[in-house]
Amino acid sequence: MILDERIRVTLADVAAEAGVSKMTASRALRGSGDVSNTNTKKVRQAARKIGYVGNHLASSLSGQRSDLIGVAIPSLANIVFADVLAGIAEAIEGSGLQPVFGVTDYDLGKEYEIIRNMLSWKPAGLIVTGLDQSDDAKRLLANANIPVVQIMDLDGTPVDVCVGFSQRAAGEEMAEALLDMGRKRIAYIGCGVDMDVRAKKRLEGFTERLSRAGLKLAATRIGDGPSGITAGRELTSEVLSEHPDLDCIYYSNDDLAAGGAFHCIAAGLAVPGAITLAGFNGLDILESLPVEIVTSRTPRREIGRTAAKLIVEANNDADKHQSQILKYTPVIEFGD
Amino acid sequence: MILDERIRVTLADVAAEAGVSKMTASRALRGSGDVSNTNTKKVRQAARKIGYVGNHLASSLSGQRSDLIGVAIPSLANIVFADVLAGIAEAIEGSGLQPVFGVTDYDLGKEYEIIRNMLSWKPAGLIVTGLDQSDDAKRLLANANIPVVQIMDLDGTPVDVCVGFSQRAAGEEMAEALLDMGRKRIAYIGCGVDMDVRAKKRLEGFTERLSRAGLKLAATRIGDGPSGITAGRELTSEVLSEHPDLDCIYYSNDDLAAGGAFHCIAAGLAVPGAITLAGFNGLDILESLPVEIVTSRTPRREIGRTAAKLIVEANNDADKHQSQILKYTPVIEFGD
DNA sequence: ACTGGTATCGATACCGGTATCGGTACCATA
DNA sequence: TATGGTACCGATACCGGTATCGATACCAGT
């Protein structure tokens, strides 16, 4: 494509075409009062005629604030965050806002850079994952003077708004549910790459609840590779060969648990007859699985939607914005 | 959060602090020559000291081009596009570019608005899904004067660069593979919501190849609801009860196919002994499934990565950019 | 005719950077 | 000493919008 010197159509061109001043053209196109109907019509026609598109850079610079929403998520390999993005996209539909995203790879340094970079766009708001940013990043967020929504976690001190659920409590509740089912010899399987702060918090809650019942994990296995169905299948196979007497495995997420289920099916192990498998997230895949897996359904799409909605509302009426904590609760599902 | 009147730190402040002019400060921070080492150091220190962050709006407005990459995808419910985003995120890592995304919901009108909106950010490049935009949208893209990459499809006329594979050919090749396996009574299952242009193209290629072999689809079933594992299971159940003699089902994607597999497992149908199931995309889930499903593995992550890389490169050296077609080929996998 | 109010409009000054270009200082060379 | 080159620096003019505020026109009321 040859980058020819195309003339740029600016507001001044529209104004000239319509025979009014830049200012009147600006007002007419934004519908911000004080323009006669005649001129409004003339300007609109002129804009359409010469194909005026507008320049967000200029208007945002002038207004000191853009219509961008910054979103920092740790990964896109994890469906959970794709769902969060989907929720965000849904909530901002028609608001004129647009999401910019950055992937942190669970790295606090990258997260800091992403936040810093996003702030220099003077966004209408920021959505970041979790409560555990670096101190530098937290300082940036606190001083940013825009709505900041931290999502997916509640265990900590939010900077501004917080939309999520307690990862600790989710772990505890799952432990409780499994104990209620009479499980005693319980193993934990996670993945190093996926072993983020939140999975750790769940595990803490889980083991704490177990110890209150006088139990400890019968085995713990953290894979090196990335989380996924295949990894779950292999790790389960390994753990079960070392500990054939397990009656339950708690996985850090549903992908791993589904992999575990496939191993059990192949190995002829009845689930949940011989062994109970428990995951986390409530992915669609579990519903159709030929075996029953326990899981905590996380309202991730709702969280994304709510977070974005808060920013949209603050954008429409800045006074309405206030720091708050919106608490969701994952629901335990038994797969039947 | 109280929006207090915080003073904004600008380049002028940095310059004052360092005792130089705005211009020298600007040059020093960007490392764009003609600044003495002493001053460079002074400016850097001053910037750090007063916590200068920079303003992308101002620099982009001045430079007529921003460091944003616009991405238009049809949906985030479909993992495929999350993978594309992941590839994009991967490719722009460290380039200073940031992705803005918009979800079109397979709606040409929304797509046009998204493209228009993105263009008004003067992005460094645009990545849009498919070749079938509205004429208005195509005109915008053609006149945008920036690299435009259309992804995931090849069947049509690209605006600028095109990175993808032929959906028609993918359909044909799957038909060929199934014919080679001796399948004769073949049904197609898709979903209305997911019945986008590309799925249609695959189906066209598929049926055309069948008819070259003197065959037609034994049944076609398009569900009303959204695509997914659950839908696949139900649709398969319905189709098989009406046509118990089928020896093969081709699904518009792997989610549906996996659902079909679960139905067959539950119904005691041997796969691929009694019936062959074929999907599309090559999702991770299939690998661990206790049955073998045929699928075309699409290089969606690579496509995202390549598309973004082209824009990153054009951004570094505009002259290097040229219209081209980068062709990928989905590989058929037999699930074993 | 004079006053006050309302509706409409436009000149001007920004927003916070960067490109440009014309200095200035200093050194080597003739 | 005059001259030319190099390294460095900063005043100025933008980029393309919008906020602000003063100007103008016109009408009703007295």
Side-chain angles (χ1 to χ4, degrees), chain A residues 78-269:
Chain A
N78 192 334
I79 308 181
V80 166
F81 297 108
D83 285 338
V84 169
L85 287 189
I88 292 173
E90 200 179 314
I92 62 178
E93 162 102 50
S95 70
L97 299 183
Q98 273 187 308
V100 194
F101 72 93
V103 175
T104 70
D105 277 327
Y106 296 96
D107 177 320
L108 290 186
K110 281 191 196 170
E111 187 179 45
Y112 172 78
E113 284 306 326
I114 287 172
I115 289 173
R116 191 184 152 91
N117 204 337
M118 282 173 173
L119 282 178
S120 74
W121 286 107
K122 308 289 165 192
L126 231 45
I127 298 176
V128 299
T129 308
L131 293 168
D132 304 277
Q133 287 75 34
S134 71
D135 288 341
D136 285 344
K138 278 184 184 163
R139 199 169 10 255
L140 279 184
L141 293 175
N143 292 340
N145 245 344
I146 54 171
V148 173
V149 186
Q150 288 165 297
I151 59 172
M152 302 302 283
D153 195 0
L154 285 184
D155 308 321
T157 314
V159 169
D160 179 13
V161 181
C162 185
V163 180
F165 51 87
S166 166
Q167 300 277 348
R168 277 192 72 87
E172 287 181 41
E173 278 157 26
M174 180 55 85
E176 178 123 8
L178 296 174
L179 290 171
D180 284 351
M181 294 167 75
R183 303 300 137 180
K184 294 252 174 350
R185 296 178 303 283
I186 305 175
Y188 176 81
I189 290 182
C191 261
V193 177
D194 191 44
M195 197 56 182
D196 60 313
V197 206
R198 287 171 292 287
K200 281 207 189 83
K201 288 178 177 175
R202 288 198 294 280
L203 180 54
E204 279 170 24
F206 190 81
T207 53
E208 191 191 292
R209 182 64 190 82
L210 286 192
S211 69
R212 281 214 302 277
L215 287 179
K216 334 193 308 185
L217 283 174
T220 303
R221 183 81 166 82
I222 311 291
D224 325 299
S227 172
I229 296 181
T230 314
R233 186 166 182 170
E234 286 165 9
L235 291 170
T236 305
S237 162
E238 293 171 22
V239 168
L240 280 177
S241 71
E242 290 170 29
H243 304 271
D245 62 331
L246 293 175
D247 63 7
C248 180
I249 302 179
Y250 180 41
Y251 296 85
S252 67
N253 65 51
D254 280 350
D255 293 302
L256 291 174
F262 290 136
H263 166 80
C264 292
I265 292 173
L269 264 174

